[in-house]
Structures are given as structure tokens and as C-alpha cells.
Amino acid sequence: MELNKTNSGNRIHIGFFGKVNSGKSSLINAFADRDISIVSSKEGTTTDPVYKSMEIKSLGPCLLMDTPGIIDNTELAEKRLKRTEDVILKTDIAVIVISDTETKDEKI
Ligand SMILES: Nc1nc2c(ncn2[C@@H]2O[C@H](COP(=O)(O)OP(=O)(O)O)[C@@H](O)[C@H]2O)c(=O)[nH]1
Ligand SMILES: [Mg+2]
């Protein structure tokens, strides 16, 4: 089976979670070494989950999943939270992104 033809259901699902503006999209872009997801200082820029298939040498076929953010003060907060919860259900490996300047709300 060719790796780039692997169905997304058979890939290891890696989700990036954390507060809005914690750097989730920046980290996923750095990890994948390309602009998968829009980075902005404006809260709530990632409105829908962003998916990117890639092969990680030691893991094989993976699906990177960027999320809107767990805590969100923007208008569509509830809908975004629901989308993020949907991604959690698909996640095999969760990457929790925490900004070093804002740790008081994080429950580890
Ligand atoms: N100082 C600093 N700023 C960062 C870092 N990572 C991201 N940012 C900035 O934080 C803001 C939010 O980043 P973004 O990746 O869009 O966060 P997201 O909402 O969690 O996806 C942007 O202005 C980024 O340039 C970091 O490691 N250090
Ligand atoms: Mg984002």
C-alpha cells in the first residue's frame, strides 16, 4: 500500500489542542515545515479544524489536526468548542499547547 494513498481512518490521528492564541497553528506549521494553518494574533482565527496528511518516519502515515481552541471568548465559541470536541474523539495522540505567559487556567 502506498503511504500517500492511506485512508485517513487508517492514519495515526495527532490533534493539537490548547487555548486560543496559545500557538497551536504555529506549532503544527513548524512541525510539518509548511503553512498548513493560518497563524494570527487575532483570537479565533482557526474557525474549523484543519487536517493535513503526512508521513512521520517513526510512526508512518499520520493525520495532523489543528483545532480552533478549547477556551474561546469569541462569538462562535460554543460551535468551535463542539468542533474541537469532535476532533478529540478521533485523536490517537494529543499535543497540548500552552503559552508560557498564560498558564494559570491550564489543568495538566
Ligand atoms: N512569542 C511567541 N509568539 C508566538 C509563538 N507561537 C505563536 N506565537 C504568536 O502567537 C499568536 C497566535 O499564534 P497561533 O499559532 O495563531 O495560535 P493558535 O490560536 O493557538 O492557533 C501569533 O501572533 C503568533 O505569531 C511563540 O512560540 N512565541
Ligand atoms: Mg489556530
Side-chain angles (χ1 to χ4, degrees), residues 17-29 37-46 66-69 97 99-100:
F17 304 98
K19 287 169 71 171
V20 169
N21 263 1
S22 58
K24 300 177 296 298
S25 298
S26 303
L27 182 62
I28 207 167
N29 289 346
S37 201
I38 298 171
V39 168
S40 167
S41 57
K42 191 174 183 301
E43 285 200 353
T45 295
T46 310
D66 192 14
T67 60
V97 183
S99 165
D100 64 354

PDB file of all heavy atoms in Angstrom, residues 17-29 37-46 66-69 97 99-100, ligand 1:
ATOM      1  N   PHE A  17      -4.165  20.745  20.607  1.00  0.00           N
ATOM      2  CA  PHE A  17      -5.197  21.362  21.434  1.00  0.00           C
ATOM      3  C   PHE A  17      -4.581  22.429  22.333  1.00  0.00           C
ATOM      4  O   PHE A  17      -3.392  22.394  22.633  1.00  0.00           O
ATOM      5  CB  PHE A  17      -5.878  20.294  22.306  1.00  0.00           C
ATOM      6  CG  PHE A  17      -6.464  19.168  21.510  1.00  0.00           C
ATOM      7  CD1 PHE A  17      -5.777  17.975  21.358  1.00  0.00           C
ATOM      8  CD2 PHE A  17      -7.700  19.302  20.895  1.00  0.00           C
ATOM      9  CE1 PHE A  17      -6.309  16.932  20.599  1.00  0.00           C
ATOM     10  CE2 PHE A  17      -8.243  18.275  20.135  1.00  0.00           C
ATOM     11  CZ  PHE A  17      -7.543  17.091  19.998  1.00  0.00           C
ATOM     12  N   GLY A  18      -5.440  23.320  22.818  1.00  0.00           N
ATOM     13  CA  GLY A  18      -4.985  24.348  23.742  1.00  0.00           C
ATOM     14  C   GLY A  18      -5.856  25.571  23.599  1.00  0.00           C
ATOM     15  O   GLY A  18      -6.783  25.612  22.775  1.00  0.00           O
ATOM     16  N   LYS A  19      -5.551  26.567  24.406  1.00  0.00           N
ATOM     17  CA  LYS A  19      -6.344  27.793  24.358  1.00  0.00           C
ATOM     18  C   LYS A  19      -6.148  28.522  23.035  1.00  0.00           C
ATOM     19  O   LYS A  19      -5.130  28.326  22.352  1.00  0.00           O
ATOM     20  CB  LYS A  19      -5.923  28.715  25.510  1.00  0.00           C
ATOM     21  CG  LYS A  19      -6.408  28.220  26.854  1.00  0.00           C
ATOM     22  CD  LYS A  19      -5.776  28.957  27.993  1.00  0.00           C
ATOM     23  CE  LYS A  19      -6.268  30.373  28.118  1.00  0.00           C
ATOM     24  NZ  LYS A  19      -5.785  31.002  29.368  1.00  0.00           N
ATOM     25  N   VAL A  20      -7.103  29.377  22.715  1.00  0.00           N
ATOM     26  CA  VAL A  20      -6.963  30.255  21.562  1.00  0.00           C
ATOM     27  C   VAL A  20      -5.701  31.098  21.752  1.00  0.00           C
ATOM     28  O   VAL A  20      -5.423  31.554  22.858  1.00  0.00           O
ATOM     29  CB  VAL A  20      -8.207  31.158  21.451  1.00  0.00           C
ATOM     30  CG1 VAL A  20      -7.999  32.273  20.447  1.00  0.00           C
ATOM     31  CG2 VAL A  20      -9.419  30.331  21.091  1.00  0.00           C
ATOM     32  N   ASN A  21      -4.923  31.264  20.694  1.00  0.00           N
ATOM     33  CA  ASN A  21      -3.702  32.075  20.690  1.00  0.00           C
ATOM     34  C   ASN A  21      -2.550  31.462  21.475  1.00  0.00           C
ATOM     35  O   ASN A  21      -1.594  32.164  21.797  1.00  0.00           O
ATOM     36  CB  ASN A  21      -3.972  33.490  21.222  1.00  0.00           C
ATOM     37  CG  ASN A  21      -4.203  34.464  20.093  1.00  0.00           C
ATOM     38  OD1 ASN A  21      -4.187  34.075  18.932  1.00  0.00           O
ATOM     39  ND2 ASN A  21      -4.413  35.711  20.417  1.00  0.00           N
ATOM     40  N   SER A  22      -2.634  30.176  21.798  1.00  0.00           N
ATOM     41  CA  SER A  22      -1.527  29.558  22.530  1.00  0.00           C
ATOM     42  C   SER A  22      -0.377  29.183  21.595  1.00  0.00           C
ATOM     43  O   SER A  22       0.734  28.899  22.054  1.00  0.00           O
ATOM     44  CB  SER A  22      -2.017  28.320  23.287  1.00  0.00           C
ATOM     45  OG  SER A  22      -2.592  27.390  22.389  1.00  0.00           O
ATOM     46  N   GLY A  23      -0.648  29.165  20.285  1.00  0.00           N
ATOM     47  CA  GLY A  23       0.410  28.835  19.321  1.00  0.00           C
ATOM     48  C   GLY A  23       0.212  27.488  18.647  1.00  0.00           C
ATOM     49  O   GLY A  23       1.152  26.928  18.071  1.00  0.00           O
ATOM     50  N   LYS A  24      -1.016  26.965  18.677  1.00  0.00           N
ATOM     51  CA  LYS A  24      -1.292  25.649  18.077  1.00  0.00           C
ATOM     52  C   LYS A  24      -0.980  25.628  16.577  1.00  0.00           C
ATOM     53  O   LYS A  24      -0.309  24.714  16.088  1.00  0.00           O
ATOM     54  CB  LYS A  24      -2.777  25.265  18.263  1.00  0.00           C
ATOM     55  CG  LYS A  24      -3.205  25.168  19.703  1.00  0.00           C
ATOM     56  CD  LYS A  24      -4.681  24.858  19.826  1.00  0.00           C
ATOM     57  CE  LYS A  24      -5.577  25.951  19.282  1.00  0.00           C
ATOM     58  NZ  LYS A  24      -5.444  27.245  19.985  1.00  0.00           N
ATOM     59  N   SER A  25      -1.490  26.639  15.860  1.00  0.00           N
ATOM     60  CA  SER A  25      -1.293  26.662  14.404  1.00  0.00           C
ATOM     61  C   SER A  25       0.181  26.878  14.071  1.00  0.00           C
ATOM     62  O   SER A  25       0.705  26.269  13.131  1.00  0.00           O
ATOM     63  CB  SER A  25      -2.168  27.749  13.775  1.00  0.00           C
ATOM     64  OG  SER A  25      -3.530  27.473  14.013  1.00  0.00           O
ATOM     65  N   SER A  26       0.851  27.725  14.854  1.00  0.00           N
ATOM     66  CA  SER A  26       2.290  27.953  14.628  1.00  0.00           C
ATOM     67  C   SER A  26       3.067  26.655  14.811  1.00  0.00           C
ATOM     68  O   SER A  26       3.967  26.337  14.022  1.00  0.00           O
ATOM     69  CB  SER A  26       2.832  28.984  15.624  1.00  0.00           C
ATOM     70  OG  SER A  26       2.125  30.183  15.529  1.00  0.00           O
ATOM     71  N   LEU A  27       2.707  25.900  15.855  1.00  0.00           N
ATOM     72  CA  LEU A  27       3.434  24.667  16.146  1.00  0.00           C
ATOM     73  C   LEU A  27       3.201  23.624  15.055  1.00  0.00           C
ATOM     74  O   LEU A  27       4.141  22.961  14.605  1.00  0.00           O
ATOM     75  CB  LEU A  27       3.005  24.121  17.520  1.00  0.00           C
ATOM     76  CG  LEU A  27       3.729  22.851  17.966  1.00  0.00           C
ATOM     77  CD1 LEU A  27       5.230  23.086  18.112  1.00  0.00           C
ATOM     78  CD2 LEU A  27       3.163  22.347  19.292  1.00  0.00           C
ATOM     79  N   ILE A  28       1.951  23.502  14.612  1.00  0.00           N
ATOM     80  CA  ILE A  28       1.647  22.489  13.583  1.00  0.00           C
ATOM     81  C   ILE A  28       2.381  22.845  12.285  1.00  0.00           C
ATOM     82  O   ILE A  28       2.895  21.963  11.586  1.00  0.00           O
ATOM     83  CB  ILE A  28       0.112  22.346  13.393  1.00  0.00           C
ATOM     84  CG1 ILE A  28      -0.238  20.938  12.904  1.00  0.00           C
ATOM     85  CG2 ILE A  28      -0.476  23.366  12.458  1.00  0.00           C
ATOM     86  CD1 ILE A  28      -1.732  20.623  13.000  1.00  0.00           C
ATOM     87  N   ASN A  29       2.468  24.137  11.972  1.00  0.00           N
ATOM     88  CA  ASN A  29       3.189  24.568  10.766  1.00  0.00           C
ATOM     89  C   ASN A  29       4.690  24.281  10.896  1.00  0.00           C
ATOM     90  O   ASN A  29       5.320  23.832   9.939  1.00  0.00           O
ATOM     91  CB  ASN A  29       2.975  26.064  10.513  1.00  0.00           C
ATOM     92  CG  ASN A  29       1.560  26.367  10.048  1.00  0.00           C
ATOM     93  OD1 ASN A  29       0.819  25.477   9.661  1.00  0.00           O
ATOM     94  ND2 ASN A  29       1.180  27.630  10.099  1.00  0.00           N
ATOM     95  N   SER A  37      -1.846  25.870   8.407  1.00  0.00           N
ATOM     96  CA  SER A  37      -2.910  26.556   9.127  1.00  0.00           C
ATOM     97  C   SER A  37      -2.545  28.026   9.318  1.00  0.00           C
ATOM     98  O   SER A  37      -1.372  28.350   9.513  1.00  0.00           O
ATOM     99  CB  SER A  37      -3.067  25.862  10.489  1.00  0.00           C
ATOM    100  OG  SER A  37      -4.321  26.122  11.032  1.00  0.00           O
ATOM    101  N   ILE A  38      -3.543  28.896   9.259  1.00  0.00           N
ATOM    102  CA  ILE A  38      -3.284  30.341   9.356  1.00  0.00           C
ATOM    103  C   ILE A  38      -2.896  30.725  10.783  1.00  0.00           C
ATOM    104  O   ILE A  38      -3.569  30.327  11.742  1.00  0.00           O
ATOM    105  CB  ILE A  38      -4.531  31.142   8.926  1.00  0.00           C
ATOM    106  CG1 ILE A  38      -4.877  30.850   7.465  1.00  0.00           C
ATOM    107  CG2 ILE A  38      -4.318  32.638   9.137  1.00  0.00           C
ATOM    108  CD1 ILE A  38      -6.206  31.433   7.020  1.00  0.00           C
ATOM    109  N   VAL A  39      -1.819  31.496  10.890  1.00  0.00           N
ATOM    110  CA  VAL A  39      -1.340  31.996  12.183  1.00  0.00           C
ATOM    111  C   VAL A  39      -1.691  33.470  12.280  1.00  0.00           C
ATOM    112  O   VAL A  39      -1.486  34.225  11.336  1.00  0.00           O
ATOM    113  CB  VAL A  39       0.188  31.816  12.300  1.00  0.00           C
ATOM    114  CG1 VAL A  39       0.746  32.590  13.490  1.00  0.00           C
ATOM    115  CG2 VAL A  39       0.545  30.343  12.386  1.00  0.00           C
ATOM    116  N   SER A  40      -2.257  33.863  13.424  1.00  0.00           N
ATOM    117  CA  SER A  40      -2.605  35.276  13.600  1.00  0.00           C
ATOM    118  C   SER A  40      -2.703  35.602  15.078  1.00  0.00           C
ATOM    119  O   SER A  40      -3.024  34.742  15.899  1.00  0.00           O
ATOM    120  CB  SER A  40      -3.953  35.541  12.923  1.00  0.00           C
ATOM    121  OG  SER A  40      -4.445  36.796  13.325  1.00  0.00           O
ATOM    122  N   SER A  41      -2.427  36.879  15.393  1.00  0.00           N
ATOM    123  CA  SER A  41      -2.575  37.308  16.789  1.00  0.00           C
ATOM    124  C   SER A  41      -4.049  37.563  17.107  1.00  0.00           C
ATOM    125  O   SER A  41      -4.427  37.777  18.254  1.00  0.00           O
ATOM    126  CB  SER A  41      -1.756  38.576  17.043  1.00  0.00           C
ATOM    127  OG  SER A  41      -2.166  39.568  16.139  1.00  0.00           O
ATOM    128  N   LYS A  42      -4.905  37.533  16.088  1.00  0.00           N
ATOM    129  CA  LYS A  42      -6.339  37.764  16.283  1.00  0.00           C
ATOM    130  C   LYS A  42      -6.967  36.479  16.842  1.00  0.00           C
ATOM    131  O   LYS A  42      -6.843  35.404  16.227  1.00  0.00           O
ATOM    132  CB  LYS A  42      -6.975  38.115  14.928  1.00  0.00           C
ATOM    133  CG  LYS A  42      -8.385  38.622  15.019  1.00  0.00           C
ATOM    134  CD  LYS A  42      -8.834  39.082  13.613  1.00  0.00           C
ATOM    135  CE  LYS A  42     -10.212  39.671  13.611  1.00  0.00           C
ATOM    136  NZ  LYS A  42     -11.258  38.801  14.077  1.00  0.00           N
ATOM    137  N   GLU A  43      -7.656  36.591  17.967  1.00  0.00           N
ATOM    138  CA  GLU A  43      -8.273  35.404  18.587  1.00  0.00           C
ATOM    139  C   GLU A  43      -9.321  34.801  17.669  1.00  0.00           C
ATOM    140  O   GLU A  43     -10.083  35.516  17.023  1.00  0.00           O
ATOM    141  CB  GLU A  43      -8.937  35.782  19.908  1.00  0.00           C
ATOM    142  CG  GLU A  43      -7.946  36.003  21.014  1.00  0.00           C
ATOM    143  CD  GLU A  43      -8.583  35.887  22.393  1.00  0.00           C
ATOM    144  OE1 GLU A  43      -9.813  35.769  22.477  1.00  0.00           O
ATOM    145  OE2 GLU A  43      -7.826  35.912  23.371  1.00  0.00           O
ATOM    146  N   GLY A  44      -9.388  33.490  17.629  1.00  0.00           N
ATOM    147  CA  GLY A  44     -10.427  32.807  16.862  1.00  0.00           C
ATOM    148  C   GLY A  44     -10.164  32.758  15.374  1.00  0.00           C
ATOM    149  O   GLY A  44     -11.082  32.614  14.581  1.00  0.00           O
ATOM    150  N   THR A  45      -8.888  32.844  14.957  1.00  0.00           N
ATOM    151  CA  THR A  45      -8.560  32.781  13.522  1.00  0.00           C
ATOM    152  C   THR A  45      -8.842  31.394  12.946  1.00  0.00           C
ATOM    153  O   THR A  45      -9.367  31.264  11.849  1.00  0.00           O
ATOM    154  CB  THR A  45      -7.074  33.150  13.303  1.00  0.00           C
ATOM    155  OG1 THR A  45      -6.905  34.505  13.685  1.00  0.00           O
ATOM    156  CG2 THR A  45      -6.668  32.985  11.857  1.00  0.00           C
ATOM    157  N   THR A  46      -8.500  30.362  13.698  1.00  0.00           N
ATOM    158  CA  THR A  46      -8.786  28.994  13.242  1.00  0.00           C
ATOM    159  C   THR A  46     -10.228  28.695  13.630  1.00  0.00           C
ATOM    160  O   THR A  46     -10.537  28.451  14.798  1.00  0.00           O
ATOM    161  CB  THR A  46      -7.817  27.980  13.902  1.00  0.00           C
ATOM    162  OG1 THR A  46      -6.484  28.444  13.740  1.00  0.00           O
ATOM    163  CG2 THR A  46      -7.958  26.598  13.286  1.00  0.00           C
ATOM    164  N   ASP A  66      -5.373  20.445  13.386  1.00  0.00           N
ATOM    165  CA  ASP A  66      -5.338  21.704  14.140  1.00  0.00           C
ATOM    166  C   ASP A  66      -6.765  22.022  14.585  1.00  0.00           C
ATOM    167  O   ASP A  66      -7.719  21.731  13.862  1.00  0.00           O
ATOM    168  CB  ASP A  66      -4.792  22.818  13.254  1.00  0.00           C
ATOM    169  CG  ASP A  66      -4.448  24.072  14.044  1.00  0.00           C
ATOM    170  OD1 ASP A  66      -4.385  24.004  15.292  1.00  0.00           O
ATOM    171  OD2 ASP A  66      -4.242  25.123  13.406  1.00  0.00           O
ATOM    172  N   THR A  67      -6.907  22.598  15.757  1.00  0.00           N
ATOM    173  CA  THR A  67      -8.254  22.853  16.287  1.00  0.00           C
ATOM    174  C   THR A  67      -8.447  24.336  16.607  1.00  0.00           C
ATOM    175  O   THR A  67      -7.480  25.067  16.818  1.00  0.00           O
ATOM    176  CB  THR A  67      -8.507  22.035  17.574  1.00  0.00           C
ATOM    177  OG1 THR A  67      -7.551  22.409  18.569  1.00  0.00           O
ATOM    178  CG2 THR A  67      -8.419  20.557  17.297  1.00  0.00           C
ATOM    179  N   PRO A  68      -9.712  24.771  16.652  1.00  0.00           N
ATOM    180  CA  PRO A  68      -9.992  26.188  16.935  1.00  0.00           C
ATOM    181  C   PRO A  68      -9.541  26.625  18.335  1.00  0.00           C
ATOM    182  O   PRO A  68      -9.259  27.795  18.543  1.00  0.00           O
ATOM    183  CB  PRO A  68     -11.505  26.278  16.814  1.00  0.00           C
ATOM    184  CG  PRO A  68     -11.887  25.129  15.955  1.00  0.00           C
ATOM    185  CD  PRO A  68     -10.930  24.041  16.304  1.00  0.00           C
ATOM    186  N   GLY A  69      -9.540  25.729  19.300  1.00  0.00           N
ATOM    187  CA  GLY A  69      -9.120  26.131  20.643  1.00  0.00           C
ATOM    188  C   GLY A  69     -10.162  25.762  21.682  1.00  0.00           C
ATOM    189  O   GLY A  69     -11.360  25.791  21.413  1.00  0.00           O
ATOM    190  N   VAL A  97      -0.920  22.458  23.708  1.00  0.00           N
ATOM    191  CA  VAL A  97      -0.052  23.627  23.542  1.00  0.00           C
ATOM    192  C   VAL A  97      -0.400  24.658  24.617  1.00  0.00           C
ATOM    193  O   VAL A  97      -1.557  25.061  24.756  1.00  0.00           O
ATOM    194  CB  VAL A  97      -0.217  24.252  22.134  1.00  0.00           C
ATOM    195  CG1 VAL A  97       0.724  25.422  21.940  1.00  0.00           C
ATOM    196  CG2 VAL A  97       0.013  23.190  21.059  1.00  0.00           C
ATOM    197  N   SER A  99       0.830  28.390  26.272  1.00  0.00           N
ATOM    198  CA  SER A  99       1.693  29.567  26.187  1.00  0.00           C
ATOM    199  C   SER A  99       2.393  29.757  27.524  1.00  0.00           C
ATOM    200  O   SER A  99       1.770  29.626  28.577  1.00  0.00           O
ATOM    201  CB  SER A  99       0.841  30.791  25.860  1.00  0.00           C
ATOM    202  OG  SER A  99       1.587  31.959  26.107  1.00  0.00           O
ATOM    203  N   ASP A 100       3.680  30.092  27.491  1.00  0.00           N
ATOM    204  CA  ASP A 100       4.419  30.212  28.754  1.00  0.00           C
ATOM    205  C   ASP A 100       4.038  31.461  29.548  1.00  0.00           C
ATOM    206  O   ASP A 100       4.441  31.629  30.685  1.00  0.00           O
ATOM    207  CB  ASP A 100       5.938  30.150  28.525  1.00  0.00           C
ATOM    208  CG  ASP A 100       6.445  31.321  27.709  1.00  0.00           C
ATOM    209  OD1 ASP A 100       5.613  32.110  27.229  1.00  0.00           O
ATOM    210  OD2 ASP A 100       7.668  31.430  27.550  1.00  0.00           O
TER     211      ASP A 100
HETATM  212  N1  LIG B   1       6.397  34.918  21.272  1.00  0.00           N
HETATM  213  C1  LIG B   1       5.849  33.882  20.646  1.00  0.00           C
HETATM  214  N2  LIG B   1       4.742  34.093  19.915  1.00  0.00           N
HETATM  215  C2  LIG B   1       4.196  33.022  19.287  1.00  0.00           C
HETATM  216  C3  LIG B   1       4.746  31.716  19.401  1.00  0.00           C
HETATM  217  N3  LIG B   1       3.954  30.872  18.698  1.00  0.00           N
HETATM  218  C4  LIG B   1       2.983  31.624  18.164  1.00  0.00           C
HETATM  219  N4  LIG B   1       3.138  32.922  18.501  1.00  0.00           N
HETATM  220  C5  LIG B   1       2.263  34.045  18.120  1.00  0.00           C
HETATM  221  O1  LIG B   1       1.027  33.918  18.851  1.00  0.00           O
HETATM  222  C6  LIG B   1      -0.056  34.317  18.044  1.00  0.00           C
HETATM  223  C7  LIG B   1      -1.067  33.180  17.958  1.00  0.00           C
HETATM  224  O2  LIG B   1      -0.470  32.095  17.262  1.00  0.00           O
HETATM  225  P1  LIG B   1      -1.358  30.964  16.579  1.00  0.00           P
HETATM  226  O3  LIG B   1      -0.416  29.891  16.124  1.00  0.00           O
HETATM  227  O4  LIG B   1      -2.287  31.536  15.548  1.00  0.00           O
HETATM  228  O5  LIG B   1      -2.213  30.434  17.837  1.00  0.00           O
HETATM  229  P2  LIG B   1      -3.494  29.486  17.897  1.00  0.00           P
HETATM  230  O6  LIG B   1      -4.679  30.378  18.038  1.00  0.00           O
HETATM  231  O7  LIG B   1      -3.303  28.623  19.121  1.00  0.00           O
HETATM  232  O8  LIG B   1      -3.507  28.689  16.626  1.00  0.00           O
HETATM  233  C8  LIG B   1       0.519  34.720  16.678  1.00  0.00           C
HETATM  234  O9  LIG B   1       0.668  36.133  16.665  1.00  0.00           O
HETATM  235  C9  LIG B   1       1.871  34.025  16.648  1.00  0.00           C
HETATM  236  O10 LIG B   1       2.800  34.715  15.832  1.00  0.00           O
HETATM  237  C10 LIG B   1       5.925  31.539  20.202  1.00  0.00           C
HETATM  238  O11 LIG B   1       6.464  30.449  20.338  1.00  0.00           O
HETATM  239  N5  LIG B   1       6.427  32.669  20.793  1.00  0.00           N
END
